[in-house]
Amino acid sequence: MANFSKSNVPQFSVDVYQNEYLPEGGREVNAIVTVTSTGGGTSGGVPLGGAAASPSSIPGGPATAAVVVMVDCSGSMDYPPTKMRNARDATAAAIDTLRDGVAFAVVAGTHVANEVYPGGGRLATADARTRAEAKQALRRLSAGGGTAIGTWLKLADRLLGSAEVPIRHGILLTDGRNEHESPEDLRAALDACAGRFTCDARGVGTDWEVKEVTGIASALLGTADIVADPAGLAADFTRMMEHAMGKEVADVSLRLWTPVGTEIVFVKQVAPTVEELTDRRTEAGPRAGDYPTGSWGDESRDYHVCVRVPEAGIGQEMLAARVSLILPDPAGGAPRALSQGLVRAVWTDDMVASTSINPQVAHYTGQAELAQVIQQGLDARKSGDFDGATAKLGRAVQLAAASGNADTAKLLAKVVDVVDAATGTVRLKAKVAEADEMTLETRSTKTVRVKK
C-alpha cells in the first residue's frame, strides 16, 4: 500500500461512556467507545471540478483510492428489461461521481467474471476521457448466464490489488441468488478478500437472498441495502460512490489491551449499524488484539466493549481495558496509535452507584437486541411459527419505540399491525409485500445514535 503523509490523515478521538462502579463480587464491565474522525476529507465526497482536500482530486497528484463496480449481468437481469438498463445507468452515474485521479474498473458478473472496462487486468485512471470510454463500454452490457458472486469478488480483488493506494473499495449489485457456486465457494472468496478491500452490496428487485447480500457487506466491512425498484439504482449508486470518495484512511483497527486475568466477552460495532467483531480479532502482542474497522472519512461510530475482570474488594479499582486506534505503517514499520481511551472498574458498596446502567450502554444493548429479534421474528414467520414471530416482532416494535428508532418502526409497521407499541402488542399482517419484508430484514441492523 502507498504511503500517505500525516497531513491527509484525519484526526481521531476516542470517548468512553460507562458506569465504572461494580458491586462486591461484580465482574462484568460494559463500555460504549465512540470513535470520531474529523478533518480528513468529506463524508460525502467532492463534486467534480470542485475544491478538494484529497490528493486524488489534484491533477497529477498521487491516486489515493481505487474502486471496482461489479454489475450482475445474469439472465434474470432481463426480467423486466428495464432492470439491465437501470443497472447500466446507475453504473454510469457512479462513474460520473469518481474524482479525477481515482483508479477504477467495471466488472460484468455472471457465472464467470468479465472485466468490461478498461480490460487487460488493469485499472483506468478517472478523467473526462476514461469516464466517457467507460460509459460507452457499459452500453455493450447485456444479460445472460448464471450467478457466481465469488468469481466477481476474486476478480475485483486482483484488480484492486494492482493499485498502490490506501483506499480500495468495491460496489456490488445483484438481482438473484448465488446459484452457480456453493456457499463454501462464496465464503472462501469472502475470506480471501477480507481486509484487502471494503465492499458495499446492493440487491435489486426481490429475487435475491438477503442473508447473502448482507453477509458480503458484513465480511467486507461495507453497507448493504435493497433497491426494490430498479429506477432508484442511479441515486443509490451515486450516494454510495460519494461516500466511497469521502474515505481518507483505510485499515484502521480498534486495539484492545486487557490486564492479566481479564477476559473479553465481546466487541461489536453498534452504530451506525450492528456488526459483530469479536471473532475477527487478530493478536497484537501480549494481551492485545486488533479488531478491523475498515475505511474512514469524516464520521463517527460507536462500539460496545464488554470485559470480565477478576473479583476485587470494595474500594479497589483497576484499568479493565485500554482501547486504542491503530493505523498500520504502509512501509511495514511500527503501527501508529491515533488515539486511545480507558475502561475502568471501581468496586463500591454504594448500591445506587453500582446498579445504575449508563444510558449509552442501555441504549445500544437495546439496539443490538432490536436487530436480533427482527431477524428471529422474520425467520419464525418464514418457517410458519406465527406465535414466535408475533412475540419477537412485538418486542422489536417495543424496542424501536422506546429508543426512538423511527425508521425501523416504520418498516415494522409494514409487516405487523401495531396495537400498542409501548407494550409490544402486535398482530402479524395477513399479506406482506415481499419488498417490505426484505427491506426490514436488510435494514434490521441499522441503529439510531443515543440522544446526548
Side-chain angles (χ1 to χ4, degrees), residues 15-344:
D15 295 295
V16 176
Y17 300 94
Q18 67 164 136
N19 175 12
E20 59 211 30
Y21 293 104
L22 295 175
E24 187 170 13
R27 295 188 58 203
E28 199 161 280
V29 181
N30 285 276
I32 298 300
V33 178
T34 296
V35 177
T36 305
S37 146
T38 53
T42 59
S43 56
V46 182
L48 292 171
S54 164
S56 55
S57 59
I58 301 166
T64 59
V67 183
V68 172
V69 183
M70 293 160 269
V71 186
D72 190 336
C73 292
S74 61
S76 56
M77 285 293 285
D78 244 351
Y79 302 96
T82 49
K83 202 191 288 181
M84 194 71 228
R85 188 168 71 238
N86 287 134
R88 282 194 295 262
D89 291 347
T91 307
I95 288 165
D96 275 337
T97 313
L98 286 164
R99 282 194 310 245
D100 278 355
V102 170
F104 77 102
V106 180
V107 167
T110 58
H111 51 283
V112 293
N114 175 36
E115 190 186 351
V116 175
Y117 183 83
R122 61 200 171 85
L123 296 162
T125 301
D127 59 25
R129 178 183 62 81
T130 56
R131 280 192 209 94
E133 286 175 357
K135 288 189 284 185
Q136 189 68 37
L138 289 176
R139 295 194 182 112
R140 298 195 293 274
L141 286 185
S142 59
T147 306
I149 294 172
T151 65
W152 316 354
L153 292 166
K154 285 189 280 194
L155 176 54
D157 183 36
R158 283 199 299 278
L159 291 166
L160 291 167
S162 69
E164 287 292 318
V165 294
I167 306 292
R168 298 187 181 123
H169 192 75
I171 287 176
L172 185 147
L173 173 73
T174 183
D175 83 320
R177 292 173 178 83
N178 197 42
E179 289 171 339
H180 292 82
E181 66 183 358
S182 68
E184 293 74 27
D185 286 342
L186 177 58
R187 184 75 252 165
L190 288 170
D191 288 345
C193 295
R196 291 175 54 79
F197 67 95
T198 54
C199 185
D200 294 323
R202 295 294 184 267
V204 60
T206 55
D207 293 329
W208 48 281
E209 191 63 55
V210 171
K211 285 178 175 63
E212 270 175 8
V213 169
T214 55
I216 291 163
S218 175
L220 302 181
L221 298 173
T223 63
D225 207 352
I226 177 173
V227 186
D229 180 355
L233 276 174
D236 186 74
F237 266 46
T238 301
R239 277 193 302 273
M240 266 194 292
M241 190 63 87
E242 283 175 347
H243 191 65
M245 292 297 94
K247 300 296 185 182
E248 292 290 329
V249 58
D251 302 329
V252 177
S253 293
L254 201 66
R255 178 167 294 176
L256 203 59
W257 176 91
T258 48
V260 173
T262 298
E263 306 161 49
I264 292 162
V265 181
F266 62 77
V267 178
K268 61 176 80 163
Q269 179 183 288
V270 287
T273 56
V274 178
E275 197 61 70
E276 185 60 65
L277 299 175
T278 314
D279 294 340
R280 301 192 192 188
R281 175 186 173 103
T282 53
E283 295 307 314
R287 300 194 305 284
D290 288 351
Y291 301 85
T293 70
S295 304
W296 288 74
D298 270 15
E299 58 192 297
S300 182
R301 303 180 203 165
D302 292 330
Y303 299 87
H304 187 167
V305 173
C306 178
V307 297
R308 196 172 289 121
V309 294
E311 282 189 47
I314 297 299
Q316 289 190 274
E317 56 181 271
M318 69 175 285
L319 176 62
R322 184 171 61 238
V323 183
S324 312
L325 283 172
I326 301 295
L327 184 64
D329 178 7
R336 199 167 117 222
L338 301 171
S339 190
Q340 73 168 27
L342 305 177
V343 180
R344 298 172 66 237

